[in-house]
């Protein structure tokens, strides 16, 4: 059921893709469906190229013979389709449960339009319920953990198979639970300014719209212009 909703949201977003677009591929189980649908459209003749936000999504694109460019050589993207862990009515999102938030933010920032795809469980009144993933240079782990504590954030080092989890760029991830996330814009500014923080999962300016599917019904959320 949840998987059907992920797929329905993904298909709604993929309908925005046109010939000659350069498309940013997100990461995760919802983005998986978008990439699969793009693969089918490419096999049917759609002419696009893509950049990927993770090695996993790049591998999926390669398997489906979707023309893949290296983001290191791309300055601008037409449309990015990506999942989220939480999204609210302001189009504020938390991302990074899959650990790809830094690359995801770079691709989103390079995009003329960025759409989130999600099942209904991701739609929240206000973001902040899930821990915020923060990508940290290993050298700065203790320093950043202490700085986050001063911001009233409790950090847990992400692990995989009993060892520290490493991002595609070889950095650590701290999952940080804040007592309350009342001022996400101010928090994002503080995190952006912390030496050793490579990136974080607060997406406050990047998301233009979201397709959210619940019980098979897809709702569209467009960013209000007043939010900038
Ligand atoms: C990966 C992400 C994902 O987009 C986010 O975690 C949602 O994943 P899923 O679609 O599997 O729920 O930010 O870094």
């Amino acid at each position: 059921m949840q998987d059907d909703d992920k797929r329905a949201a993904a298909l709604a977003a993929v309908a925005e893709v046109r010939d000659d677009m350069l498309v940013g591929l997100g990461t995760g189980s919802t983005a998986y469906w978008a990439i699969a649908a793009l693969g089918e459209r490419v096999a049917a003749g759609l002419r696009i190229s893509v950049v990927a936000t993770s090695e996993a999504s790049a591998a999926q694109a390669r398997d489906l013979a979707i023309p893949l460019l290296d983001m290191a050589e791309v300055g601008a993207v037409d449309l990015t389709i990506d999942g989220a862990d939480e999204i609210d009515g302001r189009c504020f999102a938390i991302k990074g449960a899959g650990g790809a938030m830094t690359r995801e933010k770079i691709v989103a920032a390079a995009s003329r339009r960025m759409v989130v795809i999600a099942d209904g469980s991701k739609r929240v009144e206000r973001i902040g319920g899930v821990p915020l993933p923060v990508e940290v240079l290993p050298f700065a782990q203790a320093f950043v953990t202490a700085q986050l504590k001063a911001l009233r954030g409790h950090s847990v080092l992400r692990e995989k198979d009993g060892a520290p989890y490493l991002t595609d760029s070889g950095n650590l991830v701290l999952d940080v639970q804040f007592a309350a996330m009342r001022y996400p814009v101010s928090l994002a500014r503080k995190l952006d300014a912390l030496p050793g923080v490579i990136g974080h999962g607060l997406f406050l300016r990047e998301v233009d719209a979201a397709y959210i599917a619940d019980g098979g019904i897809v709702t569209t959320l467009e960013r209000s212009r007043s939010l900038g």
Side-chain angles (χ1 to χ4, degrees):
M1 192 70 180
Q2 194 182 29
D3 235 31
D4 290 345
D5 282 339
K6 290 180 185 200
R7 186 159 180 266
L11 291 180
V14 165
E16 290 197 18
V17 177
R18 301 276 178 270
D19 274 337
D20 303 319
M21 277 187 170
L22 173 46
V23 179
L25 304 180
T27 293
S29 57
T30 318
Y32 166 88
W33 288 113
I35 301 168
L38 282 173
E40 281 177 21
R41 287 190 57 193
V42 166
L46 177 73
R47 290 187 319 271
I48 55 167
S49 47
V50 298
V51 289
T53 54
S54 63
E55 301 302 332
S57 295
Q60 190 188 354
R62 263 186 231 107
D63 283 352
L64 294 169
I66 305 174
L68 176 68
L69 304 180
D70 181 353
M71 185 59 195
E73 293 169 4
V74 167
V77 172
D78 293 306
L79 169 69
T80 287
I81 302 172
D82 200 352
D85 303 309
E86 280 188 341
I87 180 148
D88 69 22
R90 302 168 290 183
C91 279
F92 283 6
I94 289 184
K95 290 181 47 53
M101 57 282 176
T102 303
R103 291 188 184 196
E104 289 171 337
K105 197 177 286 180
I106 292 165
V107 173
S111 300
R112 215 168 8 241
R113 179 168 164 85
M114 191 277 195
V115 296
V116 157
I117 49 177
D119 65 83
S121 69
K122 310 295 184 59
R123 177 71 165 89
V124 294
E125 200 48 43
R126 286 281 184 267
I127 57 164
V130 296
L132 177 69
V134 177
E135 181 166 351
V136 179
L137 197 70
F139 182 82
Q141 181 189 347
F143 168 70
V144 170
T145 301
Q147 295 289 312
L148 290 169
K149 194 170 174 198
L151 295 173
R152 305 191 43 218
H154 174 70
S155 301
V156 175
L157 179 67
R158 191 179 295 186
E159 295 192 346
K160 189 180 176 189
D161 303 327
Y165 168 87
L166 293 179
T167 66
D168 283 348
S169 303
N171 297 308
L172 301 171
V173 173
L174 297 174
D175 289 304
V176 190
Q177 188 71 60
F178 290 91
M181 200 182 282
R182 246 178 255 125
Y183 305 105
V185 173
S186 145
L187 176 62
R189 255 190 231 122
K190 287 174 184 156
L191 295 175
D192 288 338
L194 258 185
V197 169
I198 308 292
H200 57 81
L202 274 176
F203 282 54
L204 307 180
R205 291 191 309 251
E206 292 80 7
V207 181
D208 295 301
Y211 291 102
I212 300 165
D214 211 343
I217 297 177
V218 182
T219 309
T220 312
L221 195 66
E222 283 285 339
R223 185 183 193 84
S224 141
R225 285 183 181 278
S226 61
L227 290 173

